[in-house]
Every structure is written in structure tokens, then in C-alpha cells.
Amino acid sequence: MSQYHIKNLEEYFQVYRKSVQHPELFWEEIAEENFVWRKKWDNVLSWDFSKPELKWFEGAKLNITENCLDRHLHVRGDKTAILFEPNDPNEEPEHITYKELHERVCEMANVLKDQGIQKGDRVCIYLPMIPELAISVLACARIGAIHSVVFAGFSAAALATRINDSDCKIVITSDGSFRGNKTIDLKGIVDKALESCSCVETVLVAKRINSEIVMKKGRDFWLAPLLEAAYKDCNAEIMNAEDPLFILYTSGSTGMPKGMVHTTAGYMVYSAYTFKNVFQYSENDVYWCTADIGWITGHSYIVYGPLANGATTVMFEGVPNYPDWGRFWEIVEKHKINQFYTAPTAIRALAKENLSFVEKYDLSSLKVLGTVGEPINEEAWHWYNDNIGKKKSPIVDTWWQTETGGIMISPIPFSTPTIPTFATLPLPGIQPCLMDENGDEITGNQTNGRLCVKFPWPSMARTIWGNHQRYKETYFSTFKDKYFTGDGALRDATGYYRITGRVDDVIIVSGHNLGTAPIEDAINEHPAVAESAIVGFPHEVKGNALYGYVILKEAGEGRDQDNLSKEINQLITERIGPIAKLDKIQFTSGLPKTRSGKIMRRILRKIAGKDTSNLGDTSTLLNPDVVQEIMENAL
Ligand code: WTA
């Protein structure tokens, strides 16, 4: 990354200017200088946001694992690629070198091939944060299979929906997972999911917790013996630049989760370039991102971005409060972590605990701190800056999305002066803009609007799996010729961006995106429920928590409301997962609706957030009286 590795603010502006004036040249130079290609591209970029169609590095041939693994073998073969820190602090960490990782990825790739997996086939990966997860991801990429990692906290029903949507042939899972002092029966969840997935022929099972599980004959196989028997070498499938690399599901405001499709060359170039600049990684650093590989942050900034840079990337299996709230800092000290990347919700949870959990440990190795996933509040930012960074380590508040593939707006440490709660400036190549409600771009500073991007960048998702029309409608139809993010933002007098939050019906709870519609659908399945509406309300640790307004059918009236609430949360857990449970449930006789029958969520949101001073004009509602009732009974 020499040429565009930014070292100070002046350089940032120079590089940024070039990236906007000559985007194709800019990305071409980065692609040329930093990666190995089997064949170079014929054309850097062709695009049309109205279709939408995007092609980066068309004509190029490559395999991303040759960039993440093979090319490092002779320069840093014995360097740790993945440093695995187990859930139990007394279990030895595992240092997997580039050489070993290469071998293990090849073995896994050969196992997949033996099971008949070919280029373009979809592979569902439902694994905890153990090395097999990263290895499976890379093994798919090695043979050109499309991985679809499903976060191992999703329920059987949610897993089945995702498996069926992309027609996965195979599932890679484990007997179970460790989470603090608990174990979770992952294989049981897979078995249940597969009752409704006829597309799956094979299940490969890693052994992690040594539990008694049922193996279905002819379908389920233990991974270890297959890996042991497999060759340690596997030729990389030569991929076209625009061949799909993976599908990753994200919640929409309505309907099914969206299977965002990322393709090979552009994703590789962008995730690697941004990793290098945003974390200012240098060769002997140890980098740790606490996300799960089940989310985009883990894909781009635990696996692909760091490995493409030859970095040492930590994979942590456990949770921040096991065995106690000092665990993160114990790991920072133990592995001398240099870059630490986490979510605001984790920071808020840690900040609530006694400072002695932090003070016990030597954090002097830290150079750069990062946050991602939701807006960080000022208090959490200062706690992080004062107690973890000791006011010496810049905080990069990185704004981006599953759909963007990589970080879009972020300070560059040691270059961009930071201001709490501001993601600051766009990275090179990124052209954000703010739009008003009439669809016009708002120019000038000290303003706010809907955040869009007006020019393509290499790691944009190319489509929604099986539903290009939805891709177009969701991201390219609200504003003509712009990619619409779904977020609101303000731009201050100096041009810094501050993300204010979602402007659609997606609610971010503890950093997880949740669509309201699928949760409402789950609630409405309850036989006693007639109708429901979900809104978010501010929560000290989670950022937002969920508040449900529920109208009961006659059958439900007079029933014990605590029991009903429990049953509703149980249903949500089964349909989606425990992350979508409601914090508060208010039973009501009606919901405020417009005359056309649309639920006025704005009013419900204000009541849930205890901000009823300005509810606006409610007289035009179909049923204005219900607002009073809801306010009186608010929780
Ligand atoms: C939100 C996570 C404020 C935003 C990489 C976005 C943020 C959604 C930030 C995407 C940030 C992410 N400040 N909000 N630094 N980073 N968000 O797809 O609403 O899980 O649209 O990707 O998280 O979440 P996703």
C-alpha cells in the first residue's frame, strides 16, 4: 500500500482528491501494486446505478486465497496468521502460522471437493468462533464455492430461511459451542433447521465441546478424520473478478433477510486497502477485532482484510464477561494487542463495571482503537479514550455496512483529528452526499440529511441473491443515481460526518441490525395476538432496545400478561434468535394509524422513548383516542 498509505492529514487530502478526480486510475494503481493476479483486468470500472450494474476489474483473473495465503508463504510463512484465543482462559491459545493456515485451508478445500462441492455452489457455515470457521471461509474461496456464513446465535428457523434462500448444498457446523460458562447445542439447531431444507445433502461437523450428538447416517460426517485424510495442497480455482465470493444476510425493514452478494476482486482490493489505512497496521503488530465472523465486520476485518496484508489477526471464541469483565484487557495484555476494534455496545457494558477490571492489566501495547456497528455516544467514547487508550491511542469510529463491504467513513489514525461521535471524513474513493426529502442533494456544510454515496467503490454489494429487483428498490430507487444507505447523517462546518442512525424500520440492538417486520410476524403467530408494532427506545448498554405494542384477540383478553409476554419472547427466540427479544411489551386496544391504515411509528417511538412533549398533530389520525390510552399505560 506504499503509494496510498496515508501518514498525515495533508497526504489524506492529496490522496482523497486524486481518488475523486481519477477514481479508475487511483484504484488501478492500488490493485496493481498490492495484489497478485493471474491475469490483469481489461477495464477498471463500468457502472450504471439505474440498473444497477457494477463491474470492477473486469477481465481480471485471481484467487483471493492466493493473496491471503500463498503469496505470504515465502516471506512470512512462520508468522502467526490467526491467533486463536479460546473461551476458557486456561486453555492454551493456538498460533496458526501462514504455512499451517495454508495447509489447513487446502485440506478443508479438498474435503469440500470430495463432497462434490464445485465452483459456484453455496456452502452454509454455521460455526462458533473457532479456527474451523475462518478455515472454512477460506476453503470455499479456494475452490470458488460461495460461502454463506450464518451467525451461530440465529435460531433453527432463521438458519433454515437462509439455507433455503441460497440453496446451500452443505452445512459446516460443530457439535456445539462454548459461550462463557454455557454450552450451546449447535448441531441440534442444525438438525432442526434441516427438517425444512431439502437442498442440503451433507453436514460436516467439527468437534468442539465433545457433547453427545446424533449423527444422521449418510448425511453427517465428523470433520477431523476427513481433514486428516485430505491432501495438504489444493490448487486455487481461478476466478473472474466479478465471480461471487460470498453471500451474507442482513435484515431489511420488511420481509426476508437480504442475501448481499459480494464479488471477488473489488472486495479484496477494498477490504485490504482500508484495513491497512484505518488500522495503520505494520508488520509485527497483533490486531484484534472482537466481532464474530458471522457478521460483515468479521469477514472483512478478521479474515480477508488482515490476511491479505499478511497480518496477525486474533480470533476470540468467548464473551467479554467470562470469567469476569476483565477478559478483554487480559487478552490485550497477554497477546500485546496493537489494534483493538470493537462495538460501542461492548464499550458501554464494560464501562458500567468497576475500573479495577481495566487497571489490573498492562494496555501499553495499544496503538489504535476502533468502533463499529452503531453510533457511539459521547460518554462511551470518553471512557474508551481515557481508560483504554489513555488519551494516546486515536479512536477510529468507522461507519460502514454489510452492503458496503468495507469501511467508508472513518478517521485515519494519526492523520485525522478525531471528535467524539463523529466518523469524520470519507476514505479515499468514497463520495458521500446528503439528500433532502425532496430528493435533492444538500450542498454546503452544517447540515443534515439522508446519507447516500454518489460514485461506486470496489466492494459494493452487487445484488441481493435471487432478487435483483429488491436490490434496486432498496438501495437505488429512493434517490436517483445514488446509493442510499438507510442512515441519516449530519455534516459539520468542517465537513466531518456524524451518523445519526437509521431512517428506516431497521433497529440496531447491541450492534445487531433487526428489521421490525420479521419480529412483528413472529409475534403475530401467537394465537392470542391480533396485531403488533415494534419500535426501538434508547437503552444504556444496548444502544437501542425493543418495545412491542401488542393488540390481543378476544382469546387473549383476561390472560395473564406476564405469561403472554414470556410466550411472545419465546416465539421470537425460536423464529429469529434471542437477540431479537423484546425488553418491554405493552398490551393495548389499538395502534395509532393514519387514515390510509399505516401505523404511525413516530408516535409509538416517542412514547417508548418517554419523549411525549411534542407528539405532533394527532387529530388527523384514524383513532386519535388510542394515543392517550397508550401514553397512560406506557412502560
Ligand atoms: C450502523 C456493520 C454509526 C449504521 C459494519 C449502518 C454505524 C449499520 C456505524 C450497518 C458507526 C455502522 N456509527 N452507525 N460508526 N457503523 N453503523 O450491516 O446504521 O451490520 O447502516 O454493518 O450500522 O450495520 P451492518
Side-chain angles (χ1 to χ4, degrees):
M1 303 294 162
S2 50
Q3 191 176 351
Y4 296 118
H5 188 194
I6 293 159
K7 292 288 186 202
N8 57 53
L9 194 59
E10 201 181 318
E11 257 178 45
Y12 162 78
F13 282 117
Q14 276 170 8
V15 171
Y16 186 76
R17 226 171 289 128
K18 167 151 191 188
S19 78
V20 172
Q21 282 164 0
H22 307 285
E24 298 184 20
L25 194 64
F26 174 75
W27 289 113
E28 175 156 51
E29 283 176 11
I30 290 174
E32 187 103 44
E33 220 184 299
N34 300 287
F35 302 93
V36 291
W37 303 89
R38 290 298 185 110
K39 176 184 171 287
K40 295 269 167 75
W41 45 92
D42 306 316
N43 187 21
V44 178
L45 169 66
S46 61
W47 64 293
D48 179 349
F49 275 178
S50 71
K51 286 186 178 162
E53 192 178 89
L54 294 142
K55 289 188 180 140
W56 280 93
F57 308 111
E58 214 182 346
K61 295 198 183 288
L62 73 155
N63 186 289
I64 193 167
T65 68
E66 292 193 327
N67 284 276
C68 290
L69 301 171
D70 304 58
R71 67 158 155 165
H72 302 311
L73 295 180
H74 57 284
V75 266
R76 47 179 83 85
D78 295 323
K79 175 177 173 176
T80 302
I82 292 179
L83 202 174
F84 172 61
E85 171 69 26
N87 177 64
D88 178 352
N90 298 316
E91 191 181 327
E92 274 302 302
E94 200 182 332
H95 291 256
I96 306 172
T97 65
Y98 272 93
K99 231 185 249 160
E100 287 160 354
L101 184 61
H102 178 264
E103 278 182 16
R104 290 176 69 176
V105 168
C106 286
E107 286 168 0
M108 184 74 85
N110 285 324
V111 168
L112 290 173
K113 282 213 283 202
D114 287 346
Q115 297 299 329
I117 301 299
Q118 296 176 348
K119 179 178 174 183
D121 287 344
R122 272 79 59 209
V123 173
C124 174
I125 303 174
Y126 187 73
L127 277 169
M129 281 286 285
I130 56 177
E132 285 82 350
L133 172 50
I135 290 167
S136 302
V137 161
L138 293 163
C140 289
R142 188 76 176 173
I143 61 172
I146 302 170
H147 55 79
S148 166
V149 182
V150 177
F151 172 61
F154 276 116
S155 70
L159 174 61
T161 305
R162 287 158 177 77
I163 290 173
N164 285 328
D165 183 68
S166 47
D167 228 350
C168 294
K169 260 194 177 166
I170 192 166
V171 178
I172 309 177
T173 188
S174 65
D175 53 353
S177 65
F178 292 119
R179 246 187 113 65
N181 55 15
K182 288 191 298 205
T183 56
I184 296 164
D185 175 21
L186 288 191
K187 177 61 166 53
I189 296 172
V190 171
D191 288 340
K192 193 151 176 248
L194 295 192
E195 286 170 14
S196 51
C197 302
S198 55
C199 48
V200 173
E201 293 157 13
T202 311
V203 179
L204 300 176
V205 188
K207 191 168 255 181
R208 177 60 183 142
I209 65 167
N210 283 314
S211 57
E212 290 288 317
I213 56 166
V214 184
M215 296 290 276
K216 187 169 169 189
K217 227 176 152 222
R219 187 194 72 180
D220 302 349
F221 303 93
W222 288 108
L223 253 175
L226 299 178
L227 289 169
E228 217 152 281
Y231 283 118
K232 293 188 186 329
D233 208 358
C234 172
N235 284 339
E237 182 80 31
I238 303 309
M239 306 293 283
N240 295 317
E242 285 296 339
D243 280 338
L245 175 64
F246 65 86
I247 301 169
L248 186 60
Y249 287 88
T250 186
S251 305
S253 40
T254 56
M256 292 269 291
K258 298 171 286 191
M260 304 313 306
V261 177
H262 282 283
T263 57
T264 306
Y267 176 81
M268 172 183 78
V269 168
Y270 195 77
S271 60
Y273 174 70
T274 51
F275 173 76
K276 180 79 182 171
N277 268 314
V278 172
F279 298 104
Q280 294 286 308
Y281 184 86
S282 49
E283 182 68 32
N284 297 315
D285 289 346
V286 179
Y287 160 90
W288 179 22
C289 165
T290 70
D292 192 292
I293 295 176
W295 309 114
I296 191 70
T297 305
H299 281 59
S300 302
Y301 300 111
I302 296 177
V303 182
Y304 288 115
L307 296 178
N309 281 281
T312 297
T313 174
V314 173
M315 254 184 99
F316 174 45
E317 183 185 27
V319 291
N321 61 347
Y322 178 78
D324 62 39
W325 284 100
R327 186 67 193 278
F328 274 9
W329 319 125
E330 184 235 347
I331 296 172
V332 168
E333 177 181 290
K334 177 156 68 172
H335 298 303
K336 301 200 172 37
I337 302 293
N338 301 112
Q339 292 88 3
F340 177 75
Y341 191 28
T342 196
T345 184
I347 297 167
R348 287 189 296 263
L350 292 158
K352 278 185 74 171
E353 302 303 321
N354 201 305
L355 257 190
S356 61
F357 285 119
V358 179
E359 287 162 350
K360 267 202 329 226
Y361 299 101
D362 176 7
L363 306 182
S364 60
S365 56
L366 289 171
K367 294 196 282 198
V368 175
L369 302 176
T371 74
V372 60
E374 53 180 319
I376 182 164
N377 50 307
E378 196 136 355
E379 224 182 326
W381 193 97
H382 284 296
W383 185 87
Y384 200 29
N385 188 42
D386 296 351
N387 299 300
I388 308 305
K390 320 282 185 203
K391 297 201 166 99
K392 286 192 315 250
S393 305
I395 296 178
V396 290
D397 175 353
T398 65
W399 172 82
W400 58 297
Q401 310 179 293
T402 304
E403 295 85 338
T404 69
I407 298 169
M408 302 285 281
I409 302 182
S410 166
I412 292 181
F414 312 107
S415 297
T416 318
T418 58
I419 303 180
T421 78
F422 280 79
T424 74
L425 297 170
L427 292 183
I430 304 306
Q431 301 188 33
C433 59
L434 297 177
M435 306 296 290
D436 68 19
E437 310 225 336
N438 304 322
D440 295 321
E441 184 175 345
I442 311 169
T443 53
N445 288 345
Q446 269 188 312
T447 180
N448 64 70
R450 317 229 142 179
L451 181 63
C452 292
V453 188
K454 51 185 175 186
F455 194 85
W457 63 100
S459 64
M460 294 182 79
R462 301 296 194 259
T463 188
I464 292 174
W465 183 263
N467 200 343
H468 196 67
Q469 186 58 28
R470 186 174 180 199
Y471 177 67
K472 179 175 171 169
E473 275 162 20
T474 310
Y475 303 105
F476 296 91
S477 301
T478 317
F479 302 104
K480 193 167 177 297
D481 283 331
K482 307 275 183 305
Y483 165 80
F484 175 44
T485 65
D487 283 325
L490 68 81
R491 192 163 53 214
D492 78 358
T494 59
Y496 272 22
Y497 285 88
R498 175 192 195 167
I499 313 304
T500 47
R502 301 291 310 182
V503 294
D504 56 10
D505 289 330
V506 171
I507 304 171
I508 304 189
V509 178
S510 301
H512 303 312
N513 296 3
L514 299 169
T516 50
I519 304 175
E520 289 162 4
D521 291 347
I523 300 172
N524 298 348
E525 275 182 44
H526 192 289
V529 171
E531 199 183 354
S532 60
I534 303 294
V535 296
F537 70 99
H539 185 279
E540 216 188 332
V541 174
K542 302 180 187 181
N544 296 296
L546 299 178
Y547 192 119
Y549 296 91
V550 175
I551 306 177
L552 292 175
K553 288 182 189 159
E554 252 177 50
E557 280 167 18
R559 278 200 51 189
D560 179 70
Q561 297 198 340
D562 283 345
N563 276 340
L564 270 175
S565 298
K566 279 193 195 120
E567 288 170 20
I568 286 172
N569 267 331
Q570 182 55 31
L571 249 174
I572 294 173
T573 305
E574 280 166 23
R575 292 293 179 271
I576 299 158
I579 50 178
K581 282 205 283 197
L582 309 183
D583 270 40
K584 295 183 179 176
I585 301 180
Q586 177 178 350
F587 295 95
T588 171
S589 70
L591 294 167
K593 287 191 180 166
T594 61
R595 290 187 189 275
S596 59
K598 207 168 163 274
I599 297 174
M600 289 292 284
R601 285 173 198 277
R602 185 178 53 79
I603 293 176
L604 295 176
R605 231 176 267 135
K606 288 208 156 186
I607 297 174
K610 300 198 185 329
D611 167 25
T612 48
S613 53
N614 180 16
L615 281 186
D617 182 11
T618 54
S619 64
T620 57
L621 290 175
L622 195 61
N623 48 353
D625 296 346
V626 84
V627 176
Q628 196 55 35
E629 179 208 315
I630 294 179
M631 277 196 344
E632 278 165 16
N633 300 320
L635 302 170

